[in-house]
Amino acid sequence: MKVLVVNCGSSSLKYQLFNMEDESVLAKGLVDRIGLDGSVLNHQPTGKPKVPLTAEIKNHTIAIKMVLEALAHPEYGVVSSIEEIDAIGHRVVHGAEKFSDSVLISPAVLAALDEFTELAPLHNPPNIAGINACAEILPSVPQVGVFDTAFHQTMPKHAFLYGIPYEAYKKYGVRRYGFHGTSHKYVSQRAAEMIGDHMSNLRIITCHLGNGASITAIKNGKSIDTSMGFTPLEGLVMGTRCGDIDPAIPPYLMRKEGMTPDEVDTYLNKKSGVLGLSGLSSDFRDLEEAADKGNERAQLAIDVFAYTVRKYIGSYAAAMGGVDAIVFTAGLGENSPRMRDQICNGLEFLGTRVDAAKNAGRGKEQEISVDGSKVKIFVIPTNEELVIARDTKTICLPLVK
Ligand code: ADP
């Protein structure tokens, strides 16, 4: 069975084609600058050189058409015909309270996604555009939606409600939803496998630290709390997002600086985080380099970030009555020994310590806590595409030949 995984952003489209017999990736790629000047498809057949394909890519339908052509191209394609694609899995950001698991796309599901656009105005529309584009070109191929929010639907009410009038939840769905669910689910399951125990016996804290960053408490295989909230702005300080702040700050800034709601939104989403703190960059590689050269604000941004992550780990250990494993994943979590060390420095009271030699590794799956640690610390590269492909296979297998 061959499954195409599609992740549509407003001006981008990432894809991977899986052969689900052995879960290998046949090809992957990225369409960039959809609807803008200089749009390009970078197609990467596994084990072969990258193929850059430039064209005017006005919308997601044209992008999908190009991807399918590239996949079945006589020279750099990986299938003899697009008929070989049995199913398509889409990353969908917001499934609100309706979807607690992946789902076969139907007109009713599409209508629900449309309804949730209010909750994720930047994310759901391109996801829907991608689904419609695939339906137009491959009408008989089943499609599945895999939601960033689904894994967190197990959170209890006391964890997902905010301390504001209950009517805001009932009327407008204002509550914590959480994001990065596919990643938290994948790495927590891998951690259980590495420990050699069942998820149902474990309390795991997963730290997804990339440009966007979130942290989740997973007890007995279920997300019981997560740092992102109503939107992906809450929680940890991130590359350009502020994370947790006093909610009195936005109206204060609006009054002081004469900002409109949209301007304050941009300020908190795009100009804050470690970028705003350092005044230098949202990329931790730049910050680490600058800090090494004595840049105090770069070091300060790193310190604030590490401190917030450590605080969350402590609070989630309290929320679960203890912790058995802590997992680091995503760009920073997988690749920065220094950040992992700084975060964990001070967590010895939980019964864990980072092994410096093991922690020196980058980007590979491994335990990095000292031998015999009561609480294990792991680095586990995330693989959201594989989870999407697996869910798509499970749902579509009974539907295909
Ligand atoms: P996203 O998918 O949210 O855009 P990623 O998971 O790709 O983000 O993570 C990107 C971030 O990872 C970068 O901003 C950078 O700060 C960090 N990162 C990647 N590699 C390294 C590295 N070798 N050292 C430190 N930070 C790194």
Side-chain angles (χ1 to χ4, degrees):
M1 182 176 189
K2 296 199 175 75
V3 172
L4 178 64
V5 172
V6 175
N7 180 354
C8 283
S10 56
S11 65
S12 71
L13 185 159
K14 287 188 218 153
Y15 63 94
Q16 288 196 17
L17 182 66
F18 283 87
N19 176 358
M20 294 310 287
E21 310 315 320
D22 58 1
E23 297 190 336
S24 59
V25 175
L26 300 171
K28 61 180 170 183
L30 168 68
V31 188
D32 232 344
R33 301 186 60 80
I34 297 173
L36 304 169
D37 286 344
S39 40
V40 61
L41 160 57
N42 277 303
H43 174 70
Q44 172 83 70
T46 302
K48 293 194 183 148
K50 193 181 272 184
V51 187
L53 300 159
T54 45
E56 195 185 353
I57 309 174
K58 278 197 194 137
N59 54 44
H60 288 84
T61 308
I62 296 173
I64 290 280
K65 263 192 193 129
M66 275 185 75
V67 168
L68 294 172
E69 272 166 27
L71 288 171
H73 194 273
E75 210 179 301
Y76 44 76
V78 291
V79 289
S80 49
S81 139
I82 57 168
E83 309 279 296
E84 283 184 42
I85 297 170
D86 297 294
I88 303 172
H90 292 266
R91 176 193 180 206
V92 182
V93 169
H94 220 305
E97 289 190 331
K98 193 172 174 76
F99 300 111
S100 52
D101 216 337
S102 304
V103 66
L104 187 68
I105 300 287
S106 65
V109 170
L110 268 173
L113 297 187
D114 211 24
E115 201 185 302
F116 307 149
T117 288
E118 269 201 337
L119 297 174
L122 299 180
H123 293 104
N124 272 27
N127 299 157
I128 295 169
I131 293 169
N132 285 331
C134 291
E136 197 181 319
I137 303 164
L138 296 171
S140 56
V141 176
Q143 302 194 67
V144 166
V146 180
F147 302 93
D148 267 31
T149 47
F151 182 59
H152 301 301
Q153 276 300 304
T154 46
M155 276 187 291
K157 233 173 185 173
H158 65 252
F160 74 64
L161 282 179
Y162 293 113
I164 58 174
Y166 194 74
E167 290 70 32
Y169 166 55
K170 292 315 285 177
K171 263 167 95 176
Y172 306 119
V174 176
R175 51 158 285 180
R176 176 182 310 287
Y177 290 102
F179 299 87
H180 292 142
T182 314
S183 174
H184 290 292
K185 180 177 170 185
Y186 175 78
V187 299
S188 59
Q189 285 174 347
R190 278 300 300 145
E193 282 165 21
M194 287 165 84
I195 294 168
D197 202 344
H198 272 280
M199 292 285 282
S200 54
N201 296 325
L202 295 168
R203 294 158 302 182
I204 303 175
I205 297 174
T206 48
C207 309
H208 178 112
L209 311 180
N211 264 321
S214 70
I215 174 162
T216 298
I218 300 162
K219 189 175 186 183
N220 307 332
K222 294 192 166 84
S223 167
I224 63 138
D225 205 348
T226 191
S227 59
M228 281 180 170
F230 180 58
T231 73
L233 185 56
E234 194 186 347
L236 304 173
V237 168
M238 305 177 216
T240 62
R241 295 177 223 161
C242 61
D244 298 332
I245 59 169
D246 183 334
I249 295 171
Y252 180 81
L253 284 175
M254 286 165 79
R255 282 193 294 269
K256 280 277 175 200
E257 301 252 328
M259 287 186 192
T260 63
D262 280 352
E263 282 167 352
V264 92
D265 201 54
T266 305
Y267 182 90
L268 299 175
N269 269 292
K270 303 261 166 71
K271 297 184 180 162
S272 298
V274 292
L275 169 69
L277 279 167
S278 67
L280 181 74
S281 173
S282 62
D283 192 307
F284 280 88
R285 284 163 288 203
D286 299 339
L287 296 177
E288 290 183 1
E289 202 186 314
D292 284 342
K293 290 184 183 143
N295 185 318
E296 285 179 15
R297 273 177 56 191
Q299 186 60 54
L300 180 66
I302 292 171
D303 293 346
V304 170
F305 182 87
Y307 176 68
T308 21
V309 178
R310 189 161 64 242
K311 256 197 335 189
Y312 262 101
I313 291 174
S315 68
Y316 284 172
M320 294 193 290
V323 53
D324 301 301
I326 298 166
V327 183
F328 289 102
T329 193
L332 179 64
E334 291 166 25
N335 293 301
S336 177
R338 164 187 184 153
M339 181 55 79
R340 296 190 297 252
D341 186 58
Q342 192 170 340
I343 291 168
C344 295
N345 187 357
L347 292 180
E348 294 75 15
F349 75 98
L350 288 174
T352 193
R353 199 149 46 86
V354 167
D355 180 314
K358 292 191 214 163
N359 187 39
R362 287 174 197 266
K364 60 174 199 265
E365 199 173 84
Q366 60 170 345
E367 184 188 334
I368 57 163
S369 38
V370 293
D371 288 344
S373 271
K374 189 163 74 75
V375 178
K376 310 245 177 265
I377 309 174
F378 295 104
V379 173
I380 301 180
T382 193
N383 197 339
E384 290 156 287
E385 292 79 10
L386 180 60
V387 178
I388 298 174
R390 283 177 180 165
D391 279 11
T392 305
K393 177 184 169 185
T394 306
I395 291 173
C396 295
L397 204 53
L399 305 172
V400 297
K401 38 202 180 266

